[in-house]
Protein backbone atom coordinates (compact mmCIF):
# COMPACT_ATOMS: atom_id res chain seq x y z
CA UNK A 1 0.00 0.00 0.00
CA UNK A 2 1.07 3.53 -0.73
CA UNK A 3 -0.44 6.74 0.64
CA UNK A 4 0.56 10.17 -0.57
CA UNK A 5 -0.76 13.21 1.32
CA UNK A 6 -1.13 16.45 -0.65
CA UNK A 7 -0.24 17.17 -4.28
CA UNK A 8 2.71 18.19 -6.41
CA UNK A 9 5.79 19.59 -4.70
CA UNK A 10 3.92 19.68 -1.35
CA UNK A 11 3.15 15.95 -1.47
CA UNK A 12 4.40 13.53 1.19
CA UNK A 13 4.54 9.74 0.75
CA UNK A 14 3.38 8.86 4.29
CA UNK A 15 3.27 5.14 3.45
CA UNK A 16 5.38 3.56 0.74
CA UNK A 17 5.04 -0.17 0.11
CA UNK A 18 3.57 -1.41 3.38
CA UNK A 19 2.31 -5.02 3.07
CA UNK A 20 0.97 -6.63 6.23
CA UNK A 21 -1.57 -9.26 7.25
CA UNK A 22 -3.23 -9.50 10.66
CA UNK A 23 -4.24 -13.00 11.68
CA UNK A 24 -7.59 -13.49 13.37
CA UNK A 25 -7.16 -13.25 17.12
CA UNK A 26 -3.75 -11.59 16.88
CA UNK A 27 -2.60 -8.55 18.84
CA UNK A 28 -0.21 -6.32 16.88
CA UNK A 29 1.51 -3.16 18.02
CA UNK A 30 2.60 -0.63 15.39
CA UNK A 31 5.53 1.51 16.46
CA UNK A 32 7.80 4.08 14.88
CA UNK A 33 9.09 7.59 15.34
CA UNK A 34 6.84 10.62 14.97
CA UNK A 35 6.01 11.14 11.28
CA UNK A 36 6.80 7.52 10.33
CA UNK A 37 3.23 6.96 9.07
CA UNK A 38 1.56 5.19 12.03
CA UNK A 39 -1.64 7.24 12.06
CA UNK A 40 -1.86 7.24 8.26
CA UNK A 41 -1.49 3.47 8.34
CA UNK A 42 -4.21 3.04 10.96
CA UNK A 43 -6.60 5.36 9.13
CA UNK A 44 -6.12 3.54 5.82
CA UNK A 45 -6.32 0.07 7.41
CA UNK A 46 -9.54 1.05 9.22
CA UNK A 47 -11.24 2.58 6.18
CA UNK A 48 -11.18 6.13 7.58
CA UNK A 49 -8.95 7.15 4.67
CA UNK A 50 -8.27 5.58 1.28
CA UNK A 51 -4.78 4.57 0.13
CA UNK A 52 -3.35 6.20 -3.01
CA UNK A 53 -2.59 2.72 -4.33
CA UNK A 54 -2.77 -0.82 -3.01
CA UNK A 55 -5.56 -2.70 -1.29
CA UNK A 56 -7.02 -3.00 2.21
CA UNK A 57 -9.04 -6.12 2.99
CA UNK A 58 -11.10 -6.48 6.18
CA UNK A 59 -12.79 -9.82 6.88
CA UNK A 60 -12.51 -10.75 3.19
CA UNK A 61 -13.90 -7.44 1.89
CA UNK A 62 -11.75 -5.20 -0.34
CA UNK A 63 -12.53 -1.73 1.01
CA UNK A 64 -11.89 -0.12 -2.41
CA UNK A 65 -14.97 -1.92 -3.78
CA UNK A 66 -17.24 -0.08 -1.34
CA UNK A 67 -18.89 3.29 -1.91
CA UNK A 68 -18.96 5.78 0.99
CA UNK A 69 -22.26 4.47 2.40
CA UNK A 70 -21.18 0.85 2.30
CA UNK A 71 -17.81 1.77 3.81
CA UNK A 72 -19.52 3.66 6.65
CA UNK A 73 -21.73 0.63 7.29
CA UNK A 74 -18.72 -1.72 7.34
CA UNK A 75 -16.85 0.63 9.69
CA UNK A 76 -19.82 0.73 12.07
CA UNK A 77 -20.44 -2.99 12.05
CA UNK A 78 -17.04 -4.62 11.57
CA UNK A 79 -14.42 -2.16 12.83
CA UNK A 80 -13.81 -0.78 16.31
CA UNK A 81 -11.79 2.32 17.18
CA UNK A 82 -10.18 3.55 20.34
CA UNK A 83 -8.27 6.81 20.42
CA UNK A 84 -6.00 8.56 22.92
CA UNK A 85 -8.81 11.03 23.64
CA UNK A 86 -11.70 8.95 24.91
CA UNK A 87 -14.27 10.83 22.76
CA UNK A 88 -17.17 10.14 25.10
CA UNK A 89 -20.26 12.35 25.08
CA UNK A 90 -20.35 14.12 28.46
CA UNK A 91 -24.16 14.30 28.76
CA UNK A 92 -24.66 10.56 28.20
CA UNK A 93 -24.25 7.76 30.73
CA UNK A 94 -21.72 4.96 30.31
CA UNK A 95 -24.44 2.70 28.94
CA UNK A 96 -25.74 5.36 26.54
CA UNK A 97 -22.24 6.12 25.27
CA UNK A 98 -21.72 2.43 24.57
CA UNK A 99 -24.99 1.98 22.68
CA UNK A 100 -24.73 5.25 20.71
CA UNK A 101 -22.94 3.81 17.65
CA UNK A 102 -25.57 1.07 17.40
CA UNK A 103 -28.33 3.64 17.56
CA UNK A 104 -26.57 5.64 14.82
CA UNK A 105 -26.58 2.47 12.75
CA UNK A 106 -30.34 2.21 13.31
CA UNK A 107 -30.02 -0.91 15.45
CA UNK A 108 -31.65 -1.67 18.79
CA UNK A 109 -29.01 -2.37 21.39
CA UNK A 110 -28.99 -5.99 22.55
CA UNK A 111 -29.31 -5.49 26.32
CA UNK A 112 -27.56 -8.74 27.17
CA UNK A 113 -24.60 -7.92 24.95
CA UNK A 114 -24.38 -4.41 26.40
CA UNK A 115 -24.45 -5.74 29.97
CA UNK A 116 -21.87 -8.37 29.03
CA UNK A 117 -19.45 -5.86 27.54
CA UNK A 118 -19.88 -3.45 30.49
CA UNK A 119 -19.08 -6.34 32.85
CA UNK A 120 -16.11 -7.28 30.66
CA UNK A 121 -14.55 -3.83 31.18
CA UNK A 122 -15.41 -3.95 34.90
CA UNK A 123 -17.92 -1.07 34.96
CA UNK A 124 -21.17 -2.78 35.91
CA UNK A 125 -21.57 -0.56 38.97
CA UNK A 126 -20.85 2.55 36.86
CA UNK A 127 -23.29 1.93 33.99
CA UNK A 128 -25.52 4.88 34.94
CA UNK A 129 -22.65 7.27 35.62
CA UNK A 130 -21.52 10.07 33.31
CA UNK A 131 -17.94 10.39 32.02
CA UNK A 132 -16.95 13.22 34.43
CA UNK A 133 -17.72 10.88 37.34
CA UNK A 134 -15.13 8.39 36.10
CA UNK A 135 -11.32 8.25 36.17
CA UNK A 136 -9.34 8.44 32.92
CA UNK A 137 -8.79 4.70 32.91
CA UNK A 138 -12.48 4.04 33.45
CA UNK A 139 -13.34 6.43 30.61
CA UNK A 140 -10.99 4.61 28.27
CA UNK A 141 -12.61 1.32 29.33
CA UNK A 142 -15.97 2.79 28.31
CA UNK A 143 -14.47 3.68 24.92
CA UNK A 144 -13.19 0.10 24.59
CA UNK A 145 -16.60 -1.30 25.52
CA UNK A 146 -18.20 0.99 22.92
CA UNK A 147 -15.78 -0.36 20.31
CA UNK A 148 -16.27 -4.01 21.31
CA UNK A 149 -20.05 -4.06 21.66
CA UNK A 150 -20.60 -4.81 17.96
CA UNK A 151 -18.01 -7.63 18.05
CA UNK A 152 -15.78 -5.96 15.43
CA UNK A 153 -13.58 -8.00 13.09
CA UNK A 154 -10.72 -5.72 14.09
CA UNK A 155 -10.24 -3.27 16.94
CA UNK A 156 -7.89 -0.42 16.02
CA UNK A 157 -6.38 1.68 18.79
CA UNK A 158 -4.27 4.82 18.27
CA UNK A 159 -2.17 5.51 21.40
CA UNK A 160 -4.98 4.24 23.68
CA UNK A 161 -2.86 4.68 26.81
CA UNK A 162 -1.24 7.97 25.77
CA UNK A 163 -3.29 9.97 28.28
CA UNK A 164 -3.10 7.47 31.16
CA UNK A 165 -0.74 6.93 34.07
CA UNK A 166 1.32 3.74 34.18
CA UNK A 167 -0.95 1.71 36.44
CA UNK A 168 -4.16 2.66 34.63
CA UNK A 169 -2.47 2.04 31.28
CA UNK A 170 -1.62 -1.49 32.45
CA UNK A 171 -5.30 -2.10 33.27
CA UNK A 172 -6.40 -0.96 29.82
CA UNK A 173 -3.69 -2.99 28.06
CA UNK A 174 -4.58 -6.05 30.14
CA UNK A 175 -8.18 -5.63 29.03
CA UNK A 176 -7.17 -5.49 25.36
CA UNK A 177 -5.01 -8.58 25.77
CA UNK A 178 -7.85 -10.41 27.54
CA UNK A 179 -10.17 -9.65 24.61
CA UNK A 180 -7.61 -11.27 22.32
CA UNK A 181 -7.02 -14.32 24.54
CA UNK A 182 -10.60 -14.98 25.60
CA UNK A 183 -12.77 -13.69 22.76
CA UNK A 184 -10.31 -14.10 19.87
CA UNK A 185 -10.57 -10.38 19.20
CA UNK A 186 -8.10 -9.03 16.60
CA UNK A 187 -6.36 -5.88 17.87
CA UNK A 188 -4.04 -3.45 16.07
CA UNK A 189 -2.61 -0.77 18.36
CA UNK A 190 -0.35 2.17 17.60
CA UNK A 191 1.91 3.10 20.49
CA UNK A 192 5.29 4.68 21.13
CA UNK A 193 5.61 2.96 24.51
CA UNK A 194 7.70 -0.27 24.61
CA UNK A 195 5.86 -1.47 27.72
CA UNK A 196 2.47 -1.02 26.01
CA UNK A 197 3.77 -2.78 22.88
CA UNK A 198 5.01 -5.71 24.98
CA UNK A 199 1.36 -6.68 25.63
CA UNK A 200 1.05 -7.49 21.91
CA UNK A 201 2.00 -10.76 20.17
CA UNK A 202 3.79 -8.95 17.34
CA UNK A 203 5.40 -5.56 16.93
CA UNK A 204 5.75 -3.89 13.53
CA UNK A 205 8.17 -0.97 13.30
CA UNK A 206 7.52 1.76 10.74
CA UNK A 207 10.19 4.20 9.60
CA UNK A 208 9.66 6.73 6.80
CA UNK A 209 6.47 4.97 5.70
CA UNK A 210 8.02 1.52 5.36
CA UNK A 211 8.13 -1.56 7.56
CA UNK A 212 11.61 -1.40 9.02
CA UNK A 213 11.45 -4.35 11.42
CA UNK A 214 9.18 -6.89 13.09
CA UNK A 215 9.37 -8.69 16.43
CA UNK A 216 7.23 -11.55 17.71
CA UNK A 217 6.60 -12.40 21.36
CA UNK A 218 8.20 -9.10 22.34
CA UNK A 219 9.42 -7.97 25.72
CA UNK A 220 9.73 -4.30 26.62
CA UNK A 221 13.52 -4.74 26.55
CA UNK A 222 13.73 -6.29 23.07
CA UNK A 223 11.40 -3.57 21.78
CA UNK A 224 13.44 -0.77 23.31
CA UNK A 225 16.58 -2.33 21.85
CA UNK A 226 15.06 -2.55 18.34
CA UNK A 227 13.81 1.02 18.59
CA UNK A 228 17.37 2.24 18.97
CA UNK A 229 18.13 0.62 15.58
CA UNK A 230 15.15 2.17 13.81
CA UNK A 231 16.19 3.85 10.62
CA UNK A 232 18.39 0.92 9.63
CA UNK A 233 16.10 -0.70 7.05
CA UNK A 234 15.72 -4.45 7.07
CA UNK A 235 12.36 -5.40 5.60
CA UNK A 236 12.24 -8.84 7.16
CA UNK A 237 9.14 -10.93 6.50
CA UNK A 238 7.14 -11.68 9.62
CA UNK A 239 5.88 -15.09 10.64
CA UNK A 240 2.90 -16.33 8.66
CA UNK A 241 -0.33 -17.04 10.53
CA UNK A 242 -3.37 -18.85 9.21
CA UNK A 243 -6.75 -17.19 8.89
CA UNK A 244 -5.92 -13.59 8.03
CA UNK A 245 -8.65 -11.22 9.15
CA UNK A 246 -7.25 -8.19 7.43
CA UNK A 247 -4.60 -7.28 4.94
CA UNK A 248 -2.98 -4.07 3.78
CA UNK A 249 -0.93 -4.36 0.64
P1 LIG B 1 2.83 9.28 12.78
O1 LIG B 1 1.43 8.95 13.19
O2 LIG B 1 3.75 8.11 12.77
O3 LIG B 1 3.40 10.43 13.54
P2 LIG B 1 1.59 10.29 10.33
O4 LIG B 1 0.93 9.16 9.67
O5 LIG B 1 0.74 11.23 11.11
O6 LIG B 1 2.79 9.75 11.23
O7 LIG B 1 2.36 11.15 9.23
C1 LIG B 1 3.26 10.57 8.28
C2 LIG B 1 3.76 11.66 7.34
O8 LIG B 1 2.68 12.17 6.55
C3 LIG B 1 4.35 12.87 8.04
O9 LIG B 1 5.41 13.36 7.26
C4 LIG B 1 3.20 13.85 8.10
O10 LIG B 1 3.68 15.17 8.15
C5 LIG B 1 2.49 13.54 6.78
N1 LIG B 1 1.04 13.79 6.88
C6 LIG B 1 0.17 13.14 7.69
N2 LIG B 1 -1.09 13.55 7.48
C7 LIG B 1 -1.02 14.49 6.51
C8 LIG B 1 -1.99 15.30 5.83
N3 LIG B 1 -3.30 15.20 6.11
N4 LIG B 1 -1.55 16.16 4.88
C9 LIG B 1 -0.24 16.23 4.57
N5 LIG B 1 0.72 15.50 5.16
C10 LIG B 1 0.35 14.63 6.11
MG1 LIG C 1 0.25 9.66 14.82
Amino acid sequence: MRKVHGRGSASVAALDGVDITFGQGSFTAVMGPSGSGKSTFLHCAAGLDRPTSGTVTVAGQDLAELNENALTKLRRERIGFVFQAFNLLPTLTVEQNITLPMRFAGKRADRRRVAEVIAHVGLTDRARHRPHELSGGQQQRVAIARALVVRPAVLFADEPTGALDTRTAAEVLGLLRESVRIDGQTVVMVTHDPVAASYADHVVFLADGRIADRVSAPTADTIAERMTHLGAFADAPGPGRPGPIGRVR
Side-chain angles (χ1 to χ4, degrees), residues 5-6 10 12-15 32-41 49 158 190 206:
H5 290 296
V12 178
L15 294 173
S34 179
S36 59
K38 302 183 296 296
S39 292
T40 302
F41 171 77
D49 200 356
D158 197 353
V190 164
L206 290 182

Side-chain angles (χ1 to χ4, degrees), residues 6 15 24 37 39 60 64 80 83 93 114 119 126 158 186 190 193 202 218 220 237:
L15 294 173
Q24 185 154 15
S39 292
F83 300 97
T93 65
V114 173
R126 295 283 189 276
D158 197 353
T186 307
V190 164
D193 175 8
H202 309 283

Side-chain angles (χ1 to χ4, degrees), residues 19-32:
D19 182 350
I20 185 165
T21 300
F22 301 108
Q24 185 154 15
S26 63
F27 187 176
T28 307
V30 178
M31 303 191 77

Side-chain angles (χ1 to χ4, degrees), residues 21-249:
T21 300
F22 301 108
Q24 185 154 15
S26 63
F27 187 176
T28 307
V30 178
M31 303 191 77
S34 179
S36 59
K38 302 183 296 296
S39 292
T40 302
F41 171 77
L42 209 64
H43 290 161
C44 289
L48 288 169
D49 200 356
R50 294 188 186 265
T52 307
S53 63
T55 56
V56 177
T57 312
V58 175
Q61 173 66 56
D62 179 351
L63 300 192
E65 289 171 355
L66 303 177
N67 63 26
E68 284 308 315
N69 282 343
L71 187 59
T72 300
K73 186 171 181 321
L74 179 133
R75 274 202 312 261
R76 279 184 183 151
E77 295 176 358
R78 307 298 289 137
I79 296 177
F81 298 99
V82 180
F83 300 97
Q84 177 171 334
F86 318 127
N87 298 332
L88 302 177
L89 288 180
T91 57
L92 300 185
T93 65
V94 164
E95 198 170 61
Q96 290 167 338
N97 265 286
I98 291 170
T99 56
L100 191 65
M102 297 171 124
R103 285 190 277 141
F104 270 136
K107 298 224 161 88
R108 292 265 305 276
D110 174 344
R111 297 192 70 85
R112 266 185 52 196
R113 174 62 185 157
V114 173
E116 179 181 80
V117 83
I118 290 175
H120 178 59
V121 301
L123 292 174
T124 301
D125 59 348
R126 295 283 189 276
R128 301 275 148 87
H129 289 228
R130 292 181 209 285
H132 73 268
E133 299 171 309
L134 305 176
S135 69
Q138 289 172 330
Q139 290 186 50
Q140 190 59 302
R141 275 147 55 194
V142 176
I144 291 171
R146 178 180 57 188
L148 290 177
V149 71
V150 297
R151 305 181 194 279
V154 189
L155 175 68
F156 291 100
D158 197 353
E159 298 275 6
T161 57
L164 304 177
D165 62 66
T166 312
R167 195 176 60 81
T168 312
E171 260 170 49
V172 165
L173 291 161
L175 180 60
L176 291 177
R177 187 163 63 185
E178 219 178 279
S179 304
V180 174
R181 299 279 179 268
I182 297 171
D183 300 329
Q185 180 63 51
T186 307
V187 177
V188 179
M189 170 180 76
V190 164
T191 181
H192 64 262
D193 175 8
V195 175
S198 71
Y199 282 73
D201 307 315
H202 309 283
V203 183
V204 175
F205 295 92
L206 290 182
D208 288 339
R210 295 168 185 268
I211 294 177
D213 205 351
R214 301 178 192 238
V215 178
S216 286
T219 65
D221 285 344
T222 54
I223 294 166
E225 191 262 327
R226 297 293 179 102
M227 282 168 79
T228 63
H229 294 294
L230 260 184
F233 277 54
D235 197 351
R241 243 189 186 242
I245 190 75
R247 179 161 200 203
V248 172
R249 192 147 68 99

